Amino acid sequence: ILDWVLPAVVARVGVEPIAEESEELRLQLLELAVECLKTFPHDVGPRNFLDFYKVLLENCLKDPYPDLKKLACNACVAICNTDPKRVKHLTTPLAKVVKNNCLQHKHSSVRVAAVEAFKILLSHGAVELLGDTKDEQDNRTSVYYLFILCSDHTESVRKATVELLGAVLLDITERMDQHRRLLPHVILLLTDASERIRQQANSVMFQMGKLHMMDNEDNSINVEKRRITLKDIEWYGEDEYPSME
């Protein structure tokens, strides 16, 4: 089925310019592709269908139809959860499209879906988008966009944003590199109008503190303050030492 369905879907909505003019049909075609992903989760990656989804989702994320953008964001989450090991080469290009076309969308439901997609894409390999880039304006970077979302007028968007910050600052391998970039975002959310968001931001700060203590824990032994036993000096003895029991 995948051999027939996915090429047909991509031929209609995965090319530029998009062949399918109807917004409703474009939405239904993407729904069909997502249903294939859910029905055959163990076939998409091993049979090299991931690239079909890459071009399909990139086009749908750029589409002006809000419902299609939102579904494409949800599909990004689904494809990362379906095959997290093989999806890494897709995450950065998809995350770039999400950032440039969805994070600042005028519809709050699209922004929520975009933040959730951006979070999972960052967690699965697109963390380089948070790095320092010389070819981007200061007001076009991912870090700047996330700071704007921390002040979004919609609570659900801010909630999704604090969850993204928690995932990046606590869970990914490169989390320590993000402290100087994203700590101001968490501090801003500590004074959010919503108590639930304030609590989430406070929890992120608390967990960051615990991880910092663990990362910088001094495990060295101070011999001056430690009791010396026969075991410590047994290398210097010529005879066998008595049992320590």
Side-chain angles (χ1 to χ4, degrees):
I1 293 179
L2 294 178
D3 292 318
W4 295 94
V5 173
L6 289 181
V9 172
V10 171
R12 298 303 297 168
V13 293
V15 295
E16 294 184 5
I18 294 178
E20 181 54 62
E21 297 181 357
S22 169
E23 291 181 341
E24 289 77 11
L25 283 177
R26 295 202 299 273
L27 181 64
Q28 289 179 346
L29 285 167
L30 181 57
E31 288 174 346
L32 178 59
V34 173
E35 189 61 34
C36 288
L37 183 66
K38 294 178 180 178
T39 306
F40 306 102
H42 303 298
D43 294 330
V44 172
R47 295 181 60 192
N48 298 319
F49 285 111
L50 287 175
D51 288 335
F52 282 88
Y53 281 95
K54 176 181 177 292
V55 296
L56 176 62
L57 293 177
E58 284 179 338
N59 260 19
C60 292
L61 289 166
K62 296 174 184 175
D63 196 286
Y65 187 33
D67 288 350
L68 191 59
K69 282 181 179 290
K70 186 164 61 173
L71 180 59
C73 289
N74 295 336
C76 289
V77 176
I79 200 168
C80 287
N81 290 332
T82 298
D83 202 337
K85 293 183 178 179
R86 291 186 176 91
V87 80
K88 188 173 182 179
H89 73 284
L90 306 182
T91 55
T92 298
L94 287 177
K96 288 180 179 178
V97 183
V98 170
K99 178 196 120 180
N100 294 326
N101 296 273
C102 303
L103 281 182
Q104 298 294 313
H105 196 271
K106 63 181 179 180
H107 291 175
S108 62
S109 60
V110 176
R111 295 199 299 278
V112 171
V115 172
E116 292 173 348
F118 201 57
K119 176 184 74 172
I120 195 132
L121 290 168
L122 290 175
S123 300
H124 284 78
V127 70
E128 65 184 70
L129 263 68
L130 297 175
D132 300 320
T133 54
K134 297 180 180 179
D135 57 342
E136 281 187 319
Q137 299 177 4
D138 290 342
N139 62 349
R140 297 284 295 175
T141 64
S142 301
V143 174
Y144 178 80
Y145 280 2
L146 293 177
F147 193 77
I148 296 299
L149 290 169
C150 289
S151 302
D152 196 280
H153 64 274
T154 304
E155 181 179 335
S156 57
V157 176
R158 302 196 306 277
K159 180 179 182 296
T161 303
V162 74
E163 291 173 355
L164 181 153
L165 294 172
V168 172
L169 291 169
L170 302 175
D171 298 334
I172 66 172
T173 306
E174 304 87 346
R175 57 184 173 78
M176 294 185 68
D177 297 334
Q178 312 309 324
H179 288 182
R180 63 183 178 85
R181 301 185 182 105
L182 299 179
L183 185 58
H185 300 52
V186 183
I187 293 175
L188 176 62
L189 290 168
L190 287 173
T191 58
D192 193 89
S194 168
E195 182 180 357
R196 180 174 59 172
I197 294 175
R198 291 198 304 270
Q199 291 175 347
Q200 285 182 282
N202 186 69
S203 177
V204 172
M205 290 287 288
F206 180 75
Q207 295 298 324
M208 283 178 63
K210 288 180 64 175
L211 289 174
H212 178 78
M213 292 178 65
M214 292 173 60
D215 292 336
N216 295 275
E217 185 178 4
D218 184 6
N219 292 315
S220 61
I221 299 174
N222 188 342
V223 179
E224 295 180 356
K225 296 183 179 179
R226 184 171 168 275
R227 181 185 173 192
I228 304 298
T229 67
L230 288 176
K231 288 289 186 181
D232 295 313
I233 59 175
E234 60 183 353
W235 280 7
Y236 299 96
E238 296 180 355
D239 301 321
E240 183 177 350
Y241 276 92
S243 173
M244 299 292 292
E245 296 180 357

